[in-house]
Amino acid sequence: MTRADSAIRVRGLTKRYGDHQAVAGVDLDVEVGEIFSLLGPNGAGKTTCVEILEGYRHRDGGEVEVLGVDPATADAHWKARIGIVLQSTKDFAELTPTEALSTFAAYYPSPRPIDEVLELVGLTDKRKTRGDQLSGGQRRRLDVGLGILGNPELLFLDEPTTGFDPEARRQFWGLIESLSDLGTTILLTTHYLDEAERLADRVGVIADGRVVAVDDPAMLGGRGAAAATVSWRGPNGRERISTDAPTRVVRELADTFGGEIPELAVSRPTLEDVYLQMIGAAT
Ligand code: ATP
């Protein structure tokens, strides 16, 4: 990867709070156009890293470039190129989505048209509803609307779907995918592994202030090449075996049963399985 392809480049990042080393030498590369998800247990250092990248927090050491600029010395022009959706929802009790977006549009040199933002985040029908009458999910959509209002090249999303019902989460994932299709680079922090698996081109796992793995979610921790488990219902109950050749096992079982294998399932370790193993080994 050349520097021109890199939206985020971090080398040896460190940050200490008192005598607690919250970030202990993080290296990270996020490519332009990529959805990159940061995973890690509570207190691992994700928010600290992300806030340093956003220019909200000072670092102790290391090199950081976000869109080619050091966030510690970045100007308003750089700030207009990034969008930020924080963990907590902004509270605009008395403003409608149209009013909230119009108010903040004034801060950007070339904001997206308000109607386009409302459409993208699925709030067109609610554009005239006061903030205190929106559901939690709708308020979160407005947060994202505010994050993408300035037409950012890079969007930071911190736990965007916490508290969403399953349908709202699916819709929200669609929104993130449309933004990605429009060319926005996205750094997503989440505790939902299905969310990371569905959305992320690559995931980075942080534990104890260190990056312990970076990979395609389908390959993380050797997932892609891990042994498969074949399970079925035999005469004496549920049977399962772990194998590197599941096709052969299934063929043999099919011969044994003379056709359909009762309750056949073939599975490989889930992202959650490998993640929990990594976190367990690292902490
Ligand atoms: P979560 O998943 O819970 O959001 P995180 O991975 O984002 O966690 P951070 O918020 O970066 O973790 O915190 C990393 C560590 O630094 C934690 O041990 C936390 O208690 C500590 N920490 C964070 N902010 C401060 C602060 N302002 N002052 C002192 N310690 C802090």
Side-chain angles (χ1 to χ4, degrees):
M1 195 186 340
T2 67
R3 284 199 179 198
D5 301 324
S6 155
I8 295 174
R9 184 174 185 278
V10 175
R11 291 292 177 272
L13 179 63
T14 56
K15 175 73 184 177
R16 173 182 284 275
Y17 299 112
D19 55 12
H20 178 64
Q21 190 74 48
V23 179
V26 159
D27 295 344
L28 197 64
D29 289 286
V30 177
E31 293 170 39
V32 169
E34 183 173 41
I35 302 183
F36 190 98
S37 179
L38 272 185
L39 305 175
N42 292 135
K46 303 179 298 294
T47 304
T48 302
C49 285
V50 170
E51 287 184 353
I52 290 168
L53 299 178
E54 294 168 345
Y56 279 134
R57 209 170 271 273
H58 288 295
R59 63 184 186 267
D60 294 338
E63 291 171 32
V64 179
E65 274 182 21
V66 176
L67 302 178
V69 175
D70 182 344
T73 56
D75 59 8
H77 173 69
W78 175 84
K79 288 198 172 84
R81 295 170 64 203
I82 67 168
I84 298 174
V85 179
L86 298 170
Q87 254 178 48
S88 56
T89 296
K90 294 202 184 73
D91 192 14
F92 301 111
E94 289 166 19
L95 297 184
T96 67
T98 301
E99 289 165 348
L101 289 164
S102 307
T103 305
F104 283 90
Y107 292 101
Y108 294 101
S110 51
R112 278 194 162 103
I114 306 296
D115 287 347
E116 185 186 313
V117 176
L118 288 167
E119 189 65 37
L120 266 170
V121 299
L123 281 178
T124 303
D125 291 349
K126 296 286 176 187
R127 65 190 184 283
K128 293 180 180 159
T129 304
R130 275 173 53 121
D132 54 6
Q133 289 161 21
L134 295 174
S135 74
Q138 289 160 350
R139 280 205 292 273
R140 207 72 185 109
R141 283 163 175 268
L142 179 55
D143 287 336
V144 177
L146 290 161
I148 62 170
L149 183 58
N151 211 352
E153 292 164 53
L154 170 63
L155 181 64
F156 292 96
L157 288 172
D158 200 357
E159 298 185 25
T161 62
T162 302
F164 278 28
D165 68 33
E167 193 192 356
R169 289 181 73 216
R170 292 284 160 115
Q171 286 174 4
F172 196 87
W173 294 349
L175 159 63
I176 302 310
E177 283 167 343
S178 344
L179 289 172
S180 178
D181 289 344
L182 291 171
T184 313
T185 306
I186 295 171
L187 182 67
L188 166 76
T189 314
T190 184
H191 286 294
Y192 296 119
L193 296 164
D194 55 344
E195 183 160 287
E197 179 143 39
R198 160 73 187 263
L199 292 176
D201 298 303
R202 289 188 305 149
V203 296
V205 179
I206 297 197
D208 265 350
R210 288 187 175 80
V211 176
V212 294
V214 176
D215 214 330
D216 176 328
M219 305 304 281
L220 194 78
R223 250 183 106 194
T229 300
V230 179
S231 71
W232 68 97
R233 178 158 300 281
N236 303 317
R238 190 116 209 115
E239 309 258 11
R240 57 170 49 86
I241 56 171
S242 178
T243 174
D244 289 329
T247 310
R248 195 185 66 222
V249 170
V250 169
R251 201 181 293 130
E252 286 168 4
L253 283 167
D255 287 345
T256 308
F257 281 98
E260 278 303 307
I261 306 161
E263 298 175 31
L264 171 68
V266 180
S267 62
R268 297 203 188 256
T270 63
L271 183 57
E272 185 164 282
D273 293 334
V274 294
Y275 168 78
L276 289 174
Q277 209 173 23
M278 265 177 192
I279 295 309
T283 53

